[in-house]
Amino acid sequence: MRSFALNIGIALCLCIHSPALGFLPTSQALNRALLTPKSALHFDKSTAALGQFHTGSSLSAFPRPPPTALAIPPSLVPLLPPPALVPSLINAALFYALQPKLSSSLTPSGLVHAFLLSALLSSFGGWTHWSVGVAYFAGGVGVTRFRMEEKEKKGIAEGRGGRRGPENVWGSAAVALVCSMLSAAPSGLLPLSPAVLRLAFVSAFATKLADTFASEIGKGYGRTTFLITSFKRVPPGTEGAVSAEGTAAAAVGGGLLAGAAVALGVIAGWRSWLIATGAAFFATNVESVIGATIQKGWMTNEVVNFVNTLVGAVT
């Protein structure tokens, strides 16, 4: 088990690329390093202070000068996984190792769909986008369990003990995933810049976490709940109901997720944080209006979640 964890850690060190973590090898640099013949790969001592190595005539960033020449024998190259698959392989290893804990928060089918979501996020957006998704999941699961027994006694707790199924996974994260995938497109190919699409990605996840915070804190701690459209007092858990405690929690939840994205380097600066937090807060209140007016029949909670995150991303 210790060697397994060590291998995972080494793989993570090789594959993570985050502006917030400084110079780490990109997939392109790793690809060149792995596929360059041994005879063409050598360490340049003159650039040791900069932590760089040469692959032929190209120059790639490396976190620290290797003590010896980095060389992959050509005979071993066919045995190595393609660099593009490395994030997915690491993701699979992490899911396998954490399956017992994840099973308490996801249904069996929800676990499969969450794995697919996380694999796509890591493949298109890198480990920073993957980490934003993890932050949303951890925050959502944590706040859902606040006063769970009390909410279950009142009949207002999330079904299945708060465990997420496929419909919850995609209703909450489909919009964010699309934004992440589009942000990976070459600059100039789309009318929106990658920076704007990354902000939309963060805003979508921030919106859903803000909504979860508002709902769960409102049901667990809200003293007075009223319908957002008429301000008529209604029981906690009513669709479209809001409370002062839940409204404040929405701002906190959205701000926390946006703050995590800033720390990871997905978005930059307090202005981006403010935009994402504000969009999340606005969209959460739009969701309450939808719940109070037109959420019925075909418009399930998952559909509302999709619309909610779409509003947050567009805002």
Side-chain angles (χ1 to χ4, degrees):
M1 185 66 183
R2 183 176 299 177
S3 60
F4 172 79
L6 179 61
N7 290 335
I8 292 298
I10 293 174
L12 281 171
C13 291
L14 287 173
C15 299
I16 295 178
H17 173 60
S18 168
L21 297 178
F23 283 105
L24 296 176
T26 63
S27 59
Q28 292 179 346
L30 184 61
N31 188 24
R32 289 197 298 271
L34 293 178
L35 301 183
T36 301
K38 181 177 180 180
S39 60
L41 187 63
H42 64 278
F43 178 61
D44 188 348
K45 295 181 180 179
S46 65
T47 59
L50 298 178
Q52 297 170 327
F53 65 92
H54 287 289
T55 56
S57 60
S58 61
L59 189 65
S60 305
F62 201 79
R64 60 178 59 87
T68 58
L70 175 63
I72 302 296
S75 61
L76 295 182
V77 170
L79 302 178
L80 297 172
L85 292 180
V86 172
S88 295
L89 293 175
I90 297 174
N91 187 64
L94 290 173
F95 261 76
Y96 178 79
L98 298 174
Q99 182 180 357
K101 288 186 175 297
L102 292 174
S103 296
S104 65
S105 304
L106 294 160
T107 65
S109 56
L111 184 65
V112 173
H113 286 259
F115 166 73
L116 177 60
L117 169 65
S118 60
L120 290 171
L121 282 177
S122 62
S123 296
F124 284 92
W127 287 103
T128 53
H129 288 210
W130 180 88
S131 298
V132 170
V134 171
Y136 156 70
F137 177 74
V141 169
V143 76
T144 298
R145 291 176 177 172
F146 281 167
R147 295 193 172 183
M148 176 61 79
E149 293 184 2
E150 295 181 23
K151 288 183 285 188
E152 286 178 338
K153 291 178 181 179
K154 295 178 182 179
I156 56 176
E158 290 292 323
R160 299 179 298 213
R163 298 168 74 202
R164 271 72 169 172
E167 70 282 4
N168 305 117
V169 171
W170 297 114
S172 301
V175 172
L177 175 61
V178 171
C179 292
S180 176
M181 295 171 71
L182 293 177
S183 72
S187 182
L189 183 64
L190 300 174
L192 297 177
S193 69
V196 171
L197 289 167
R198 287 193 296 270
L199 181 58
F201 161 74
V202 173
S203 297
F205 266 138
T207 294
K208 190 62 194 78
L209 189 60
D211 174 56
T212 304
F213 266 59
S215 177
E216 298 301 328
I217 297 298
K219 289 187 291 187
Y221 295 92
R223 296 181 179 180
T224 303
T225 55
F226 53 91
L227 209 59
I228 193 172
T229 52
S230 64
F231 296 99
K232 177 183 177 181
R233 290 191 62 172
V234 292
T238 302
E239 296 294 347
V242 296
S243 65
E245 295 84 356
T247 302
V252 172
L256 286 174
L257 197 286
V262 171
L264 289 164
V266 180
I267 56 176
W270 68 269
R271 291 184 179 179
S272 295
W273 175 85
L274 189 61
I275 290 172
T277 302
F281 186 77
F282 172 76
T284 296
N285 284 283
V286 170
E287 190 267 350
S288 296
V289 173
I290 293 174
T293 54
I294 62 175
Q295 184 176 353
K296 57 184 68 176
W298 64 272
M299 186 166 278
T300 62
N301 283 332
E302 288 67 43
V303 175
V304 173
N305 287 337
F306 176 82
V307 174
N308 183 28
T309 54
L310 181 61
V311 171
V314 171
T315 303

